[in-house]
């Protein structure tokens, strides 16, 4: 299986490393050509406003939406979750507008700009390592969204069909259980009748 990692900015290498360590091929995505043949796409953390600008400059915004329409699973971490969200508190216009969640940016305060904790994740484990760096949180979710984890009374991990999104950076730890969970989503999609070759 071939998983792409959007590689315009942010924590790319660590995702690639985790994907490869779980036995899949990992490809950096910088242009339209890099999207062909992907079975899944990871949108990494970084700075969402910069990433949005680069998505436009590299003409990737609509092609990624088309990939989503084919049912290809997508995993957004931190800024990647912000890119996936249908709505961002205080912003007139969201980015990819794919996942039915409302996001608030920089939710965990200046004092604790960055920290690592263990959180309980439904179906996966009660000691998942999570690094939060100027992290967003999910304020509210649509009817088809499953909430998989909360931290400090806030939603930090959720799944809606083909989309998985978390507030934190799972790739900055040695803990690959969340990436493994995403790869299983990709595997399930590949087995489904919906899966067709993507040719955008
Ligand atoms: N604060 C960043 C944003 O709003 C996200 C931070 C991150 O991805 N670590 O885009």
């Amino acid at each position: 299986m071939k998983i792409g990692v959007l590689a315009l900015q942010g924590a790319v290498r660590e995702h690639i490393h985790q994907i490869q360590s779980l036995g899949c091929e990992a490809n950096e995505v910088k242009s339209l050509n890099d999207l062909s043949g992907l079975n899944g796409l990871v949108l990494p953390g970084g700075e969402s406003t910069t990433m949005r600008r680069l998505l436009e400059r590299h003409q990737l915004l609509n092609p990624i939406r088309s990939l989503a329409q084919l049912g290809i699973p997508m995993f957004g971490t931190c800024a990647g979750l912000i890119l996936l969200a249908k709505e961002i508190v205080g912003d007139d216009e969201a980015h990819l507008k794919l996942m039915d969640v409302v996001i608030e940016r920089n939710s965990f305060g200046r004092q604790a700009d960055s920290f690592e904790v263990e959180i309980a994740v439904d179906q996966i484990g009660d000691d998942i390592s999570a690094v939060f760096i100027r992290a967003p949180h999910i304020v509210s979710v649509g009817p088809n969204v499953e909430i998989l984890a909360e931290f400090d009374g806030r939603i930090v991990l959720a799944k809606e069909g083909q989309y998985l999104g978390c507030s934190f950076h799972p790739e900055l730890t040695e803990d690959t259980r969340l990436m493994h969970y995403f790869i299983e989503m990709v595997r399930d999609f590949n087995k489904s009748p919906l899966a067709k070759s993507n040719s955008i």
Side-chain angles (χ1 to χ4, degrees), residues 1 6 46 60 69 85 97 131 137 152 154 161 164 170 184 195 198:
M1 283 196 311
L6 184 67
L60 280 170
Q69 254 146 35
K97 294 186 267 191
V131 176
H137 82 286
D152 210 13
R154 292 162 182 172
L164 183 66
E184 287 304 308
N198 89 66

Side-chain angles (χ1 to χ4, degrees), residues 58-75:
H58 293 245
Q59 297 179 324
L60 280 170
L61 208 58
N62 283 327
I64 290 175
R65 290 191 183 119
S66 305
L67 204 65
Q69 254 146 35
L70 298 173
I72 301 290
M74 299 192 177
F75 181 18

Side-chain angles (χ1 to χ4, degrees), residues 44-49 77-80 82 105-106 133-136 167 169:
E47 181 58 42
S48 53
T49 46
T77 62
C78 205
I82 300 171
R105 296 174 64 198
N106 303 323
I133 305 172
R134 291 178 299 109
S167 298
H169 287 260

Side-chain angles (χ1 to χ4, degrees), residues 133-186:
I133 305 172
R134 291 178 299 109
H137 82 286
I138 299 173
V139 179
S140 62
V141 300
N144 301 319
V145 179
E146 283 172 75
I147 294 168
L148 298 181
E150 293 187 35
F151 170 70
D152 210 13
R154 292 162 182 172
I155 304 167
V156 294
L157 172 64
K159 175 177 187 293
E160 180 191 21
Q162 76 199 84
Y163 305 119
L164 183 66
C166 66
S167 298
F168 49 89
H169 287 260
E171 80 287 1
L172 297 182
T173 74
E174 297 294 303
D175 194 336
T176 54
R177 284 174 289 176
L178 214 50
M179 184 58 83
H180 179 261
Y181 181 86
F182 176 63
I183 288 173
E184 287 304 308
M185 283 169 60
V186 176

Side-chain angles (χ1 to χ4, degrees), residues 98-116:
L98 294 169
M99 186 173 177
D100 197 6
V101 292
V102 180
I103 292 290
E104 189 173 315
R105 296 174 64 198
N106 303 323
S107 319
F108 290 91
R110 275 164 195 266
Q111 303 276 8
D113 254 352
S114 146
F115 56 94
E116 181 168 356

